[in-house]
Amino acid sequence: MVWSWVAMASRWGPLVGLAPRCLWLLGAVLLMDASARPANHSSTRERAANREENEILPPDHLNGVKLEMDGHLNRGFHQEVFLGKDLGGFDEDVEPRRSRRKLMVIFSKVDVNTDRKISAKEMQRWIMEKTAEHFQEAMEESKTHFRAVDPDGDGHVSWDEYKVKFLASKGHSEKEVADAIRLNEELKVDEETQEVLENLKDRWYQADSPPADLLLTEEEFLSFLHPEHSRGMLRFMVKEIVRDLDQDGDKQLSLPEFVSLPVGTVENQQGQDIDDNWVKDRKKEFEELIDSNHDGIVTAEELESYMDPMNEYNALNEAKQMIAVADENQNHHLEPEEVLKYSEFFTGSKLVDYARSVHEEF
């Protein structure tokens, strides 16, 4: 079952690059993720296209945040916090040698002390920088979308203005909707759209800083679209995820609740394998990263800390986890050969012919 944000809406609304300082770096410049459930198979291009199509809707996917809006694990997280703005630069159709060189350029930027090894601290610093890039990108997108729903350009968007644009995106006549709202007439919309509207309005209220007036400024509109930019909205998102997964009503999550599968049936072995991976990945995330005191229970506070993209402690934990994936010689550092070999984990693309690539690049 696909848990897109809209489907869920029935329930809830700086690093500076370092110049080369030794021959190896000059040479470098010249020079796995588990299967996801179908709901998260969208590529970067598909996500971008969906965003353009529904630009005024809060996106389901937030770059650099550990969970999707609907509670799925963000399958592209490690690539997002390693590549930043280069996220779309490693497509499978790009010439492999050029991609390997580009990857080594990134390696040289992460490796601040130029010792040909990436430490956890270096990776942590890099993760924070790339997360800040995603924040900046979200802010720029939000400004564009704000102008789209602020037709009179007064610097505020009313709920009615937003509702007109939202219903127009659903195929309704913008003029007819605007006239109906102006005349206080009942809008004829289907039940599902009405539910989405009601929950979007709840989210609108949450983003509306006191005194509440149902008018969002550009900053408040950013919080509406991207809750990771606002502590209050991040807390609201966590609350809704907990409410959706919490089966016994205690407002916290047990391991069985967190790993429970979406509603649906397994039709074949491939589906069973995907579901098995779903449970395995969520169990690991719960036990190793989210449940910080390892008591078997995740509170809203623990989940909020885990999802906070600017939490430096979490960034260090993520750095250690990312290093461990490719650290074949167990020295707690990443070396160029290891990053190349595990390129699919870091870039989303498998840079083919690893044995030859190491020889070519070094």
Side-chain angles (χ1 to χ4, degrees):
M1 176 179 177
V2 177
W3 284 4
S4 68
W5 187 89
V6 174
M8 288 289 292
S10 62
R11 301 186 188 185
W12 57 278
L15 171 79
V16 176
L18 299 179
R21 287 184 282 179
C22 60
L23 289 177
W24 83 265
L25 182 57
L26 211 50
V29 171
L30 291 174
L31 280 116
M32 289 186 350
D33 206 5
S35 296
R37 292 186 59 78
N40 287 326
H41 268 196
S42 58
S43 67
T44 302
R45 288 177 178 173
E46 288 170 338
R47 285 170 174 168
N50 289 337
R51 232 179 264 139
E52 290 171 5
E53 181 180 347
N54 297 306
E55 64 178 18
I56 65 172
L57 275 174
D60 173 46
H61 175 79
L62 303 171
N63 282 337
V65 179
K66 293 302 299 285
L67 293 183
E68 308 283 16
M69 288 284 206
D70 52 18
H72 280 79
L73 295 180
N74 175 3
R75 297 296 177 182
F77 176 78
H78 296 122
Q79 293 146 32
E80 292 165 5
V81 296
F82 186 75
L83 298 178
K85 290 181 179 178
D86 289 325
L87 188 57
F90 289 85
D91 293 332
E92 295 290 352
D93 56 352
V94 175
E95 200 276 313
R97 184 166 183 172
R98 187 170 67 180
S99 292
R100 292 194 297 268
R101 289 176 174 173
K102 189 172 184 178
L103 182 54
M104 288 299 94
V105 170
I106 293 175
F107 183 98
S108 72
K109 291 179 180 179
V110 186
D111 179 24
V112 178
N113 64 6
T114 67
D115 64 353
R116 297 190 66 183
K117 297 192 295 287
I118 294 175
S119 67
K121 280 291 185 180
E122 287 173 323
M123 184 67 86
Q124 177 197 31
R125 177 196 57 81
W126 184 254
I127 288 173
M128 296 298 293
E129 180 192 339
K130 297 298 107 176
T131 300
E133 281 187 9
H134 289 306
F135 264 51
Q136 184 62 36
E137 182 181 33
M139 291 173 66
E140 292 169 359
E141 289 180 353
S142 180
K143 286 181 180 179
T144 300
H145 301 160
F146 183 80
R147 289 192 291 268
V149 294
D150 182 26
D152 55 17
D154 64 354
H156 295 82
V157 177
S158 70
W159 168 248
D160 285 343
E161 286 175 328
Y162 180 83
K163 184 161 63 173
V164 169
K165 294 295 184 181
F166 170 74
L167 290 175
S169 74
K170 295 295 181 181
H172 293 266
S173 165
E174 187 168 329
K175 183 180 184 303
E176 289 179 5
V177 173
D179 288 343
I181 291 175
R182 179 173 52 82
L183 297 173
N184 199 29
E185 296 176 351
E186 183 178 355
L187 293 169
K188 296 180 180 179
V189 298
D190 60 81
E191 185 177 345
E192 181 181 350
T193 299
Q194 183 60 41
E195 288 185 69
V196 173
L197 265 176
E198 290 172 359
N199 288 283
L200 281 173
K201 188 172 184 178
D202 185 36
R203 185 187 182 94
W204 192 272
Y205 270 116
Q206 293 295 324
D208 185 15
S209 301
D213 55 7
L214 282 185
L215 295 173
L216 298 193
T217 64
E218 188 173 299
E219 183 178 354
E220 291 168 337
F221 190 73
L222 172 64
S223 297
F224 173 73
L225 291 183
H226 290 274
E228 75 274 21
H229 286 252
S230 161
R231 175 60 63 185
M233 286 299 290
L234 183 62
R235 192 171 294 124
F236 175 71
M237 186 169 77
V238 166
K239 177 183 175 182
E240 296 307 305
I241 289 176
V242 170
R243 185 173 70 179
D244 181 66
L245 299 179
D246 177 23
Q247 298 174 8
D248 59 13
D250 63 357
K251 299 183 180 180
Q252 53 190 9
L253 301 178
S254 64
L255 178 59
E257 288 172 332
F258 189 73
V259 304
S260 61
L261 292 166
V263 177
T265 58
V266 176
E267 298 179 357
N268 52 41
Q269 185 57 48
Q270 182 181 16
Q272 181 65 62
D273 292 342
I274 291 174
D275 282 349
D276 289 345
N277 283 327
W278 159 274
V279 172
K280 178 182 176 182
D281 291 346
R282 289 180 75 87
K283 183 175 186 293
K284 181 179 180 181
E285 203 77 7
F286 183 101
E287 294 177 338
E288 297 183 8
L289 294 175
I290 311 179
D291 183 15
S292 58
N293 63 358
H294 306 291
D295 65 351
I297 293 295
V298 164
T299 63
E301 290 75 17
E302 286 176 316
L303 189 58
E304 181 183 336
S305 175
Y306 164 81
M307 291 182 64
D308 181 1
M310 299 309 290
N311 184 315
E312 293 188 8
Y313 177 75
N314 284 349
L316 181 59
N317 283 337
E318 291 298 336
K320 292 176 180 177
Q321 186 183 59
M322 290 170 69
I323 288 172
V325 167
D327 184 21
E328 290 196 334
N329 62 10
Q330 298 295 298
N331 67 351
H332 306 292
H333 289 72
L334 283 180
E335 298 172 7
E337 296 86 349
E338 293 170 331
V339 173
L340 282 170
K341 187 171 183 178
Y342 289 86
S343 62
E344 189 168 11
F345 175 77
F346 294 103
T347 70
S349 297
K350 195 169 185 176
L351 307 185
V352 296
D353 197 357
Y354 163 72
R356 198 181 85 181
S357 73
V358 172
H359 174 74
E360 286 179 347
E361 308 306 338
F362 300 99

